[in-house]
């Protein structure tokens, strides 16, 4: 296994995972890391820009919580 190089980003590839497992390390992803699609997060529809569903989501969240969204472009 190559030593860690601070200049290059470190990613766990399948090859590195296999080497770690063979060396006795357990490979467990952190429980707090999640991925989601923009459609799942903001209800994005084809043809929309990213800002449209994000703004819509923030408006709905602000209405539901009584808070106003802040920031440029909103």
């Amino acid at each position: 296994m190559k030593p860690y190089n601070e200049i290059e980003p470190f990613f766990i590839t399948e090859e590195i995972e296999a080497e770690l497992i063979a060396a006795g390390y357990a490979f467990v992803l952190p429980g707090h890391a999640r991925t989601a699609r923009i459609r799942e997060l903001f209800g994005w529809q084809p043809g929309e820009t990213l800002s449209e569903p994000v703004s819509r989501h923030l408006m709905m969240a602000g209405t539901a919580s009584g808070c106003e969204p802040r920031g440029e472009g909103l």
Side-chain angles (χ1 to χ4, degrees):
M1 184 171 12
K2 292 171 65 176
Y4 175 70
N5 181 348
E6 290 184 26
I7 296 171
E8 296 180 24
F10 181 77
F11 297 97
I12 305 279
T13 63
E14 290 179 6
E15 182 180 276
I16 291 173
E17 177 186 2
E19 289 180 21
L20 289 171
I21 291 170
Y25 291 97
F27 183 75
V28 179
L29 293 174
H32 66 279
R34 298 283 186 260
T35 60
R37 296 186 187 337
I38 190 171
R39 287 183 181 156
E40 297 167 0
L41 292 174
F42 302 114
W44 177 83
Q45 297 296 316
E48 288 187 310
T49 64
L50 177 60
S51 63
E52 291 171 318
V54 170
S55 293
R56 184 171 56 246
H57 175 79
L58 290 173
M59 292 297 264
M60 290 187 331
T63 301
S65 67
C67 298
E68 293 183 20
R70 291 185 270 174
E72 292 184 34
L74 297 176

